[in-house]
Amino acid sequence: MKFALSSLALAAAFATPAFAAPDAVQKSDTPAVAPAATGTVSGNELSPVDRTFVTKASGAGLYEVEISKIAVERAQDPALKSFAQQMVKDHTAANEELKKFAASKGVPVATEIPAEKQAVVKKLSGLSGADFDKAYREQVGLREHKEDIALFERQTRNGHSPDLKAWAAKTLPTLKSHYEHAQQMKPKA
């Protein structure tokens, strides 16, 4: 009982700063997070490495869904529009899986797009036509997926939770497929 109370107090100490100063969270490169659906703390808590992965992966997932929804509306190349639709579908599904997993562990997920990604959304939202298509393909299809692949590969090697490592490994082929698809699409002149 004493251990359970100590664990609960420790978890509360870690959770409180993120919610006590939401303005500070907004100004950092770390996405805002919401408490998981279960407020309980148990013996199956995630390590700091795993928690960081959940925060980064959920923030990136929110970003990729949002920017891809914009691409569905703005892309002029039908192949790029189709790619963006697939991105919305795949990343929405991955986001839901990660959210469910995080809730089962009592871990918060990102509720907003990270600040540096918000800047990309703003930048791409100001583009249209072939300029938008080129920027979306290069930024989201290539650069962002290369970063995502590295993040997920690190998790499969360095993560502590076997379940989270397995989820990252299961998600990696989809991320790699997105990257390869973006590589094969030729920008329209």
Side-chain angles (χ1 to χ4, degrees):
M1 180 69 172
K2 190 175 189 179
F3 176 75
L5 290 176
S6 297
S7 296
L8 187 57
L10 184 60
F14 281 115
T16 303
F19 302 109
D23 291 344
V25 173
Q26 295 302 328
K27 292 177 183 167
S28 75
D29 288 341
T30 304
V33 294
T38 67
T40 61
V41 177
S42 66
N44 64 355
E45 281 189 9
L46 295 181
S47 71
V49 168
D50 293 336
R51 285 176 174 267
T52 298
F53 173 76
V54 168
T55 300
K56 287 183 177 184
S58 61
L62 290 174
Y63 159 74
E64 289 182 14
V65 168
E66 180 65 26
I67 196 66
S68 295
K69 285 179 179 178
I70 293 168
V72 168
E73 297 298 319
R74 290 192 175 218
Q76 105 182 6
D77 179 358
L80 191 67
K81 189 177 288 255
S82 176
F83 174 72
Q85 289 169 333
Q86 189 65 46
M87 290 273 295
V88 170
K89 179 182 172 202
D90 292 347
H91 285 277
T92 298
N95 291 350
E96 288 303 313
E97 289 174 1
L98 183 57
K99 187 175 179 180
K100 185 176 178 179
F101 172 81
S104 76
K105 301 293 185 183
V107 175
V109 295
T111 59
E112 293 185 2
I113 297 169
E116 77 277 4
K117 304 293 186 195
Q118 288 176 7
V120 175
V121 170
K122 184 176 180 179
K123 177 184 170 193
L124 267 64
S125 293
L127 301 175
S128 61
D131 291 337
F132 176 87
D133 289 5
K134 182 178 187 281
Y136 176 79
R137 178 187 167 274
E138 290 175 0
Q139 179 69 39
V140 181
L142 298 173
R143 191 172 307 132
E144 303 291 348
H145 276 88
K146 192 172 187 177
E147 291 174 12
D148 291 344
I149 290 165
L151 174 68
F152 278 65
E153 285 177 339
R154 260 192 320 275
Q155 181 63 25
T156 63
R157 286 189 312 272
N158 303 330
H160 298 163
S161 165
D163 292 337
L164 194 55
K165 287 173 76 167
W167 179 80
K170 179 188 90 143
T171 306
L172 259 170
T174 301
L175 297 173
K176 288 178 178 180
S177 173
H178 291 168
Y179 181 74
E180 290 164 4
H181 190 174
Q183 284 181 312
Q184 293 167 1
M185 286 188 292
K186 301 293 183 214
K188 304 285 183 199

